[in-house]
């Protein structure tokens, strides 16, 4: 039997299509990835991912992640999210695709400005914003470290190597001679915050305000710029728990290259021979040093310091409640033995939406800091000196301990310093315990009065309780009764009340108006006391019972108060989304100024033009956005402490009441009153341009600014006949001018992503005038004996000017006659006689350098592949002249290039360092060091 089939061609075609579709359906592959906001880096929950032309798709989870099984024949994926521009991505052979969606025009990035927020496109001032994605995953525990090199025009320097070292932040140079040039820090609306207490993982955004248009809303506190930090709040969805940690190792990168024990001993013997003395070290001792070495004091006091930081947070939102809670633990050793730092903090941000009109937001920060710092003072005193300074001066031939297991004392065999004590003893024996408890309570209540009209009442409290305790035993000095203990207690309270009304109105998307009015009050009070005693029979109780000391030290205490009242108004107007206007003015009254100048007014105005909205450029696809800005305004600076404008009564006077015995009393202080004392004020012009190319793939920002500060606050000497020695006055003017450039882009944006940003800033600082038409004023010395009056203020030069006699080598033996004309002998340092009058004096002092950088830069790179990220960051400053006092003291006050020592015997230069003898010091002084003791350019 046979079967015959007759097939219809049309039916065969239909069958083949069904078979092919089934093949596509069952032959699948899986694509995974993450969808985030291109500006903020936040995961986008609920993003839709589809295969174009097929009715299959998926959505992202809470973390913005997705896993999508697609037919093997699919060639592209489409990503869409409400308010964002859709993206279609070619799949190719990829199995992982991460996508960054950019907000559409109506949902563009919002930046925080003073007392409110603005669309980024509406901002007319110089405002730099750090995106959250730039803050994540970095091995830092302090927010101030995030600003280094990432914001143009901002220079951040660490003051020292202590674990809890403060940083110096400069935005567009230095404005004040006397006051603090650090910017105002505003954390969640609370002014005067501390960046080091905010963990980077708790940050929602950071904005840096640089020009007068952005800063005039802070009036008398805005002259040095402002850093605005907004901490996180809970996001929609289930609770999100996040844990991060890092472990780090710190060590001294480069030690100073000092002489080893054998070379040092040979050098000492050579000096003794040249000066007609007795050999200090025998040949056998030198041979032993050569074979076995001596003591490397830097190795003995420095260590590899470990640090660990743990951060845990939980955040979420449900119904009308959002919350964000975090805890942070930091434990960091110092690179100097005996120093370390611990920080424990808890943050709670809670928001409640009662109804469509009432909203409450609260922030709480509780922190405890325990710091055991190393003494950084480079000069010896009653406490024996600094371990770092001593390690650079002590002879490598000295052991750490003597035969009786006591620390060796200075001056062994007449070499090494006689004032600085054993470096290891100074590092390990002193007990320093600085404890700070900080509480910040912050709450704001917002009420929607009418559509577009909102009232916000904000109140904050910041309390700090500090106890700094120190105990110094007698092991470094081995002098009975030299033990000392002290306790310094200080407390401070800061209160702030801000009452703000904001009106917003949008007419047909052609006119957009925002009016902000603020009444603000601030109050700050600080008080403290100091207790100390000497001579303890036991080290057991340390500083816990000062009454055990045999000699009580004089008691002291203080209390200061400061208050300020302010009124603020600001108007922002946008016409057709391309013409921008900002007007602002703030009236400030401060208690620290004279009775005749309590109030001052700080206005500003700014214009912006979105050129890319004009018909001429709308068809240029390469230019996504192009905006020009110009602003001018005035800001101020409270560069003095409370009571500086009034005459004060001093308590450091003693009177012979009975004719013989001096009795403590009071009298006129050394500072007189000035009822006309007024604010420092800074006028600033800013011209800028913001540009985006190729749909935001490349961003460019450039600014030129000119700042002019007048009425500089300065402590002026007074004639003795006045009964006072000084008085605070307004003198002089200073100018800062510069350019800032920032360029960022995403050269690669596929499964592998490379984001890069480069910043550059150049600032020119110049003093325009000084007190009483003087062209030059000295501003004191840092404490090195015999080296005063090297830091100067001079008209036409930048702040931080170094002046001195130029070093011109060493007088040679053949130049003995010429040296004698200057009271010197061969081997003495030679100063350059600028006017050839045969005398080295003030007429030969010239400018040797300044502490202002020529320019600063930063280059930030982030490389991402799947769930792995690598950040490569380079930052630096160029052209800073530094005064190296440690090097100065090592070389007995002489700056000799290459660490060389003149020898009158062989007439050659010999390498040396770490050598310090009283005999040499006096010899150099007699040879003219007192005239030549100005720092060189080092």
């Amino acid at each position: 039997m046979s079967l015959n089939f007759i097939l219809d061609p049309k039916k065969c075609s239909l069958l083949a299509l069904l078979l092919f579709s089934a093949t596509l359906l069952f032959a699948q592959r899986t694509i995974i990835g993450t969808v985030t906001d291109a500006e903020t880096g936040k995961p986008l929950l609920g993003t839709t991912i589809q295969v174009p032309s097929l009715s299959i798709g998926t959505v992202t989870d809470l973390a913005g992640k997705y896993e999508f099984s697609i037919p093997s024949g699919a060639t592209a994926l489409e990503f869409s999210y409400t308010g964002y521009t859709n993206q279609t991505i070619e799949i190719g052979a990829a199995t992982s695709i991460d996508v960054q969606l950019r907000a559409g025009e109506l949902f563009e990035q919002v930046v925080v400005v003073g007392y409110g927020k603005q669309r980024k496109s509406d901002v007319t001032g110089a405002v730099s914003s750090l995106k959250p994605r730039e803050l994540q995953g970095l091995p830092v525990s302090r927010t101030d470290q995030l600003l280094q090199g990432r914001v143009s025009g901002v220079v951040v320097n660490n003051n020292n190597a202590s674990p809890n070292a403060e940083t110096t932040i400069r935005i567009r140079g230095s404005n004040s001679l006397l006051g603090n040039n650090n910017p105002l820090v505003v954390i969640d609306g609370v002014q005067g915050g501390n960046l080091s207490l905010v963990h980077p993982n708790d940050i929602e955004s950071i904005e840096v305000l640089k020009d007068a248009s952005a800063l005039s809303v802070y009036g008398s506190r805005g002259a040095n710029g402002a850093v605005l930090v907004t901490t996180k709040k809970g996001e929609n969805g289930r609770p999100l728990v996040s844990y991060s940690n890092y472990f780090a190792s710190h060590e001294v990168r480069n030690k100073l290259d000092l002489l080893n024990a054998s070379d040092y001993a040979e050098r000492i013997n050579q000096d003794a021979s040249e000066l007609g003395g007795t050999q200090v070290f025998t040949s056998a001792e030198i041979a032993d040093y050569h074979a076995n070495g001596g003591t490397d004091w830097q190795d003995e006091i420095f260590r590899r310091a470990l640090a660990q930081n743990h951060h845990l947070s939980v955040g979420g939102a449900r119904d009308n409640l959002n919350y964000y809670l975090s805890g942070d633990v930091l434990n960091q050793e110092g690179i100097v033995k005996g120093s370390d730092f611990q920080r424990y903090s808890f943050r709670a941000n809670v928001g409640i939406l009662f109804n469509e009109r009432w909203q409450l937001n609260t922030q709480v920060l509780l922190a405890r800091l325990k710091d055991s710092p190393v003494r950084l003072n480079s000069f010896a005193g009653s406490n024996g000196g600094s371990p770092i300074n001593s390690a650079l001066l002590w002879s490598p031939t000295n052991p750490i301990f003597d035969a009786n297991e006591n620390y060796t004392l200075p001056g062994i065999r007449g070499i090494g310093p006689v004032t600085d004590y054993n470096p290891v003893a100074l590092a390990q024996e002193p007990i320093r315990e600085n404890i700070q408890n900080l509480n910040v309570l912050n709450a704001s209540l917002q009420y929607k009065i009418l559509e577009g009209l909102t009232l916000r009442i904000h109140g904050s409290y910041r309390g700090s309780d500090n106890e700094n305790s120190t105990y110094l035993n007698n092991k470094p000095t081995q002098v009975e009764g030299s033990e000392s203990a002290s306790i310094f207690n200080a407390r401070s309270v800061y209160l702030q009340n801000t009452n703000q009304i904001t009106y917003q109105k949008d007419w047909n998307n052609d006119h957009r108006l925002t009016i902000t009015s603020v009444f603000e009050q601030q109050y700050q009070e600080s008080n403290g006391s100091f207790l100390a005693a000497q001579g303890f029979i036991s080290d057991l109780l340390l500083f816990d019972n000062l009454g055990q000391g045999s000699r009580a030290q004089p008691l002291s205490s203080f209390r200061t108060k400061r208050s300020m009242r302010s009124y603020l108004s600001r108007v922002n107007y946008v016409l057709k989304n391309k013409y921008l206007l900002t007007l602002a003015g703030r009236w400030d009254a401060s208690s620290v100024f004279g009775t005749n100048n309590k109030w001052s007014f700080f206005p500003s105005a700014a214009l912006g033009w979105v050129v890319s909205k004009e018909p001429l450029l709308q068809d240029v696809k390469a230019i996504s956005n192009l905006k020009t800005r110009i602003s001018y305004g005035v800001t101020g600076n409270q560069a003095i402490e409370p009571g500086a404008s009034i005459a004060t009564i001093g308590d450091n006077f003693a009177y012979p009441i009975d004719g013989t015995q001096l009795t403590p009393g009071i009298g006129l202080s050394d500072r007189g009153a000035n009822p006309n004392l007024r604010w420092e004020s800074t006028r600033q012009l800013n011209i800028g341009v913001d540009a985006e190319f190729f749909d935001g793939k490349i961003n460019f920002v450039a600014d030129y600014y000119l700042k002019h500060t007048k009425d500089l606050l300065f402590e002026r000497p007074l004639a003795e006949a006045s009964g006072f020695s000084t008085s605070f006055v307004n003198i002089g003017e200073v100018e800062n001018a510069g350019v800032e450039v920032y360029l960022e882009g995403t050269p690669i944006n596929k499964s592998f992503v490379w984001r890069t940003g480069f910043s550059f800033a150049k600032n020119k600082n110049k003093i325009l005038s000084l007190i009483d038409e003087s062209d030059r004023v000295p501003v004191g010395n840092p404490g090195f004996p015999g080296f005063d009056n090297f830091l100067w203020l001079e008209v036409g030069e930048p702040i931080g000017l170094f002046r001195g006699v130029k070093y011109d080598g060493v007088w040679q033996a053949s130049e003995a006659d010429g040296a004698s004309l200057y009271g010197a002998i061969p081997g003495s340092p030679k100063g350059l006689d600028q006017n050839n009058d045969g005398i080295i004096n003030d007429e030969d002092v010239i400018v040797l350098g300044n502490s202002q950088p020529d320019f600063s830069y930063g280059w930030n790179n982030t490389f991402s592949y799947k769930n792995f990220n690598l950040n490569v960051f380079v930052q630096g400053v160029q052209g800073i002249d530094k005064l190296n006092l440690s090097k100065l003291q090592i070389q007995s006050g002489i700056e000799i290039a290459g660490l060389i020592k003149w020898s009158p015997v062989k007439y050659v230069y010999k390498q040396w360092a770490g050598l310090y003898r009283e005999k040499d010091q006096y010899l150099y002084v007699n040879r003219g060091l007192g005239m030549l003791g100005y720092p060189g350019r080092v």
Side-chain angles (χ1 to χ4, degrees):
M1 181 176 68
S2 64
L3 296 176
N4 296 316
F5 294 92
I6 300 175
L7 300 179
D8 187 335
K10 293 182 178 180
K11 293 181 179 179
C12 288
S13 299
L14 178 60
L15 179 61
L17 180 60
L18 291 174
L19 291 173
F20 178 72
S21 299
T23 301
L24 286 179
L25 181 63
F26 290 102
Q28 295 180 330
R29 59 176 173 146
T30 301
I31 305 292
I32 62 173
T34 305
V35 182
T36 57
D37 184 298
E39 291 294 333
T40 66
K42 284 185 177 181
L44 295 180
L45 162 67
T47 302
T48 300
I49 303 104
Q50 288 182 307
V51 177
S53 76
L54 294 180
S55 58
I56 57 174
T58 187
V59 295
T60 57
D61 62 14
L62 285 169
K65 297 182 181 297
Y66 69 92
E67 183 175 332
F68 191 14
S69 296
I70 62 173
S72 59
T75 60
L77 292 179
E78 184 180 66
F79 297 80
S80 61
Y81 189 83
T82 303
Y84 286 72
T85 302
N86 293 353
Q87 278 197 47
T88 301
I89 306 294
E90 297 294 329
I91 299 175
T95 59
S96 175
I97 298 177
D98 293 334
V99 177
Q100 296 174 339
L101 297 182
R102 297 188 64 84
E105 184 174 338
L106 296 178
F107 296 88
E108 63 179 319
Q109 181 183 356
V110 174
V111 298
V112 177
V113 295
Y115 303 96
K117 297 181 179 179
Q118 280 186 279
R119 297 184 185 185
K120 187 176 180 181
S121 62
D122 292 350
V123 174
T124 56
V127 179
S128 296
S129 180
L130 279 181
K131 303 174 180 63
R133 72 177 182 218
E134 298 174 348
L135 312 178
Q136 296 174 354
L138 299 178
V140 297
S141 60
R142 297 164 45 138
T143 297
D144 47 8
Q145 297 169 341
L146 294 175
L147 299 176
Q148 289 181 309
R150 291 181 171 86
V151 180
S152 60
V154 179
V155 176
V156 182
N157 291 318
N158 292 322
N159 292 341
N160 57 63
S162 291
N164 191 34
E166 294 183 357
T167 56
T168 297
I169 303 176
R170 295 291 179 267
I171 298 178
R172 294 185 169 182
S174 300
N175 303 308
S176 180
L177 304 178
L178 184 65
N180 189 335
N181 282 291
N182 278 341
L184 173 68
V185 175
V186 183
I187 302 174
D188 291 327
V190 184
Q191 300 178 27
N194 187 343
L195 288 175
S196 67
L197 293 176
V198 183
H199 194 281
N201 288 353
D202 289 336
I203 295 176
E204 177 69 24
S205 68
I206 298 178
E207 274 76 28
V208 180
L209 313 185
K210 297 184 283 188
D211 75 328
S213 173
L215 289 165
S216 65
V217 293
Y218 290 111
S220 63
R221 307 189 69 178
N224 301 320
V227 179
L228 311 186
V229 177
T230 303
T231 58
K232 290 180 179 179
K233 62 179 182 180
E235 301 290 343
N236 290 329
R238 295 174 297 176
L240 179 63
V241 179
S242 175
Y243 170 76
S244 66
N245 65 61
Y246 80 83
F247 299 86
S249 175
H250 304 90
E251 59 184 6
V252 176
R253 187 182 64 175
N254 289 317
K255 298 184 301 178
L256 291 183
D257 188 14
L258 306 181
L259 292 180
N260 59 36
S262 59
D263 291 341
Y264 186 95
E266 290 177 351
R267 180 67 187 85
I268 290 295
N269 281 352
Q270 179 188 343
D271 264 8
S273 176
E274 292 170 358
L275 298 173
T278 304
Q279 298 285 295
V280 179
F281 296 94
T282 66
S283 298
E285 288 176 318
I286 294 177
D288 181 68
Y289 292 139
H290 184 75
N292 302 314
T295 304
D296 188 325
W297 292 105
Q298 294 180 87
D299 278 349
E300 296 298 335
I301 68 164
F302 292 128
R303 66 180 174 184
R304 175 172 294 179
L306 302 179
Q308 56 178 313
N309 179 239
H310 303 271
H311 183 272
L312 177 66
S313 67
V314 56
R318 184 176 180 181
D319 298 329
N320 295 329
L321 173 70
N322 69 79
Y323 57 91
Y324 177 84
L325 310 175
S326 71
D328 173 45
V329 177
L330 171 67
N331 192 337
Q332 183 171 345
E333 295 178 337
I335 58 174
V336 177
K337 294 178 180 178
S339 63
D340 56 60
F341 174 65
Q342 293 91 39
R343 183 187 68 205
Y344 309 90
S345 67
F346 170 77
R347 182 180 297 276
N349 295 350
V350 178
I352 303 174
L353 183 64
F354 296 106
N355 52 48
E356 62 179 9
R357 291 185 178 274
W358 290 95
Q359 182 177 347
L360 175 66
N361 291 292
T362 63
Q363 291 93 24
V364 176
L365 172 65
L366 306 176
R368 179 177 174 86
L369 291 73
K370 184 178 180 181
D371 188 15
S372 298
V374 62
R375 181 177 179 179
L376 297 173
N377 185 353
S378 298
F379 310 105
S382 60
N383 292 332
S386 159
I388 298 177
N389 187 68
S390 294
L392 302 179
L393 299 178
W394 264 57
S395 167
T397 63
N398 294 341
I400 300 176
F401 299 100
D402 61 20
N404 298 319
E405 297 299 318
N406 294 319
Y407 290 107
T408 51
L409 294 172
I412 297 177
R413 293 186 170 185
I415 61 174
V418 297
T419 54
D420 290 72
Y421 285 86
N422 190 303
V424 175
L426 294 178
Q428 296 188 153
E429 294 303 325
I431 297 177
R432 296 182 175 91
E433 185 179 273
N434 299 344
I435 296 177
Q436 179 184 18
N437 295 315
L438 181 71
N439 308 304
V440 180
L441 309 177
N442 190 20
S444 63
L445 182 63
Q446 185 169 299
Y447 175 62
K448 185 177 179 181
I449 304 173
L450 299 170
E451 185 65 31
L453 184 63
T454 305
L455 169 66
R456 181 174 180 268
I457 301 176
H458 169 235
S460 61
Y461 162 87
R462 181 172 63 238
S464 177
D465 194 338
N466 300 268
E467 182 177 281
N468 299 344
S469 305
T470 302
Y471 184 79
L472 306 174
N473 60 36
N474 65 10
K475 292 182 180 180
T477 64
Q478 297 180 34
V479 176
E480 293 294 333
S482 65
E483 309 84 9
S484 65
S486 64
I487 298 177
F488 173 70
N489 286 294
R491 291 155 294 279
S492 66
V493 172
Y494 172 78
L495 302 174
Q496 177 183 322
N497 166 238
T498 304
N499 307 285
Q500 176 179 335
I501 293 181
T502 304
Y503 175 73
Q504 293 179 306
K505 182 68 175 178
D506 193 334
W507 294 274
N508 301 323
N509 207 32
D510 285 338
H511 306 272
R512 190 158 54 250
L513 176 67
T514 302
I515 302 175
T516 303
S517 295
V518 175
F519 168 63
E520 187 170 77
Q521 304 173 89
Q522 300 177 50
Y523 175 80
Q524 185 173 358
E525 180 175 338
S526 301
N527 66 85
S529 58
F530 177 79
L531 307 172
Q534 290 182 330
F536 290 81
I537 60 174
S538 171
D539 298 333
L540 183 62
L541 296 179
L542 303 178
F543 38 70
D544 293 331
N545 190 343
L546 297 186
Q548 295 297 314
S550 60
R551 300 184 304 278
Q553 301 301 299
L555 307 179
S556 64
S557 63
F558 71 92
R559 183 179 297 272
T560 62
K561 298 179 181 179
R562 178 197 295 263
S563 61
M564 190 167 72
R565 181 177 298 174
S566 308
Y567 299 92
L568 160 69
S569 291
R570 180 178 60 202
V571 176
N572 295 102
Y573 175 66
V574 181
L575 175 62
K576 298 184 181 296
N577 288 321
K578 58 183 177 180
Y579 305 114
L580 317 173
L581 170 67
T582 301
L583 299 173
R586 178 166 176 141
W587 294 261
D588 276 341
S590 174
S591 62
V592 303
F593 285 97
T595 55
N596 299 332
N597 288 296
K598 292 291 186 185
W599 287 89
S600 192
F601 178 57
F602 303 97
S604 72
L607 296 172
W609 178 26
V610 185
V611 185
S612 56
K613 297 286 187 181
E614 298 295 345
L616 181 64
L617 293 180
Q618 282 189 331
D619 294 332
V620 181
K621 295 183 179 180
I623 302 177
S624 307
N625 179 59
L626 178 61
K627 179 174 67 175
T628 60
R629 301 172 277 105
I630 183 170
S631 66
Y632 182 82
V634 183
T635 52
N637 191 358
Q638 302 180 58
I640 56 175
E641 293 300 318
S645 65
I646 61 176
T648 56
I649 295 177
D651 59 0
N652 57 341
F653 294 87
Y655 301 94
I657 301 298
D658 59 359
T660 57
Q661 184 68 32
L662 291 177
T663 303
I666 61 174
L668 290 178
S669 177
D670 56 354
R671 190 176 66 233
N674 182 0
N676 296 315
L677 199 65
R678 57 187 178 273
W679 316 76
E680 292 183 350
S681 61
T682 298
R683 288 163 170 77
Q684 182 174 182
L685 170 70
N686 190 94
I687 301 173
V689 59
D690 304 330
E692 293 184 6
F693 304 96
F694 307 107
D695 294 325
K697 291 183 174 64
I698 300 176
N699 297 317
F700 174 78
V701 180
D703 283 273
Y704 165 79
Y705 61 88
L706 179 64
K707 295 198 300 181
H708 183 181
T709 304
K710 68 174 187 176
D711 294 331
L712 299 176
L713 290 160
F714 197 74
E715 195 167 9
R716 175 185 181 180
L718 297 178
E720 292 184 2
S722 67
F724 302 96
S725 59
T726 63
S727 178
F728 281 101
V729 294
N730 296 99
I731 61 102
E733 303 175 31
V734 66
E735 178 183 273
N736 285 277
V739 293
E740 299 168 354
V741 176
Y742 182 74
L743 177 66
E744 72 169 0
T746 308
I748 302 175
N749 190 14
K750 297 182 179 180
S751 57
F752 174 78
V753 180
W754 173 29
R755 291 189 296 267
T756 185
F758 178 77
S759 64
F760 172 86
K762 180 177 179 62
N763 180 74
K764 179 68 174 179
N765 178 269
K766 183 169 63 174
I767 296 175
L768 302 180
S769 65
L770 287 171
I771 186 171
D772 294 336
E773 305 301 326
S774 299
D775 292 334
R776 190 179 301 142
V777 176
V779 288
N781 69 83
F784 192 92
F787 283 82
D788 45 354
N789 288 351
F790 63 78
L791 188 61
W792 290 75
L793 304 174
E794 183 171 341
V795 173
E797 298 288 347
I799 297 173
L801 189 70
F802 298 129
R803 290 178 54 83
V805 174
K806 184 176 182 180
Y807 176 73
D808 195 32
V810 178
W811 290 105
Q812 302 300 316
S814 60
E815 300 175 304
D817 293 340
S820 65
L821 298 177
Y822 296 92
I825 62 176
S828 300
K830 183 196 298 184
L832 188 60
D833 189 356
Q834 299 287 340
N835 56 7
N836 297 315
D837 63 355
I839 303 174
I840 301 295
N841 56 20
D842 289 344
E843 299 298 323
D844 302 297
V845 173
I846 62 171
V847 174
L848 299 175
N850 71 81
S851 60
Q852 299 286 342
D854 293 336
F855 61 87
S856 61
Y857 60 89
W859 186 27
N860 190 31
N861 298 272
T862 301
F863 304 94
S864 303
Y865 179 71
K866 295 185 178 180
N867 292 325
F868 295 92
N869 295 303
L870 172 66
N871 182 261
V872 179
F873 175 59
V874 179
Q875 68 92 22
V877 293
Q878 182 70 28
I880 289 181
D881 296 313
K882 290 187 176 181
L883 174 62
N884 192 332
L885 290 177
S886 295
K887 188 175 180 181
L888 191 68
Q889 190 170 7
I890 291 172
Q891 298 180 1
S892 300
I894 303 177
E895 171 56 29
I896 304 179
L899 298 180
I900 50 179
K901 173 70 175 176
W902 184 85
S903 171
V905 176
K906 299 180 179 180
Y907 308 112
V908 296
Y909 290 99
K910 290 184 67 68
Q911 205 171 33
W912 76 293
L915 180 64
Y916 179 94
R917 293 194 300 160
E918 286 296 307
K919 185 175 182 180
D920 284 338
Q921 184 192 35
Y922 294 136
L923 179 62
Y924 292 143
V925 170
N926 292 336
R927 291 178 182 181
L929 179 61
M931 302 295 292
L932 300 176
Y934 294 88
R937 189 179 177 111
V938 298

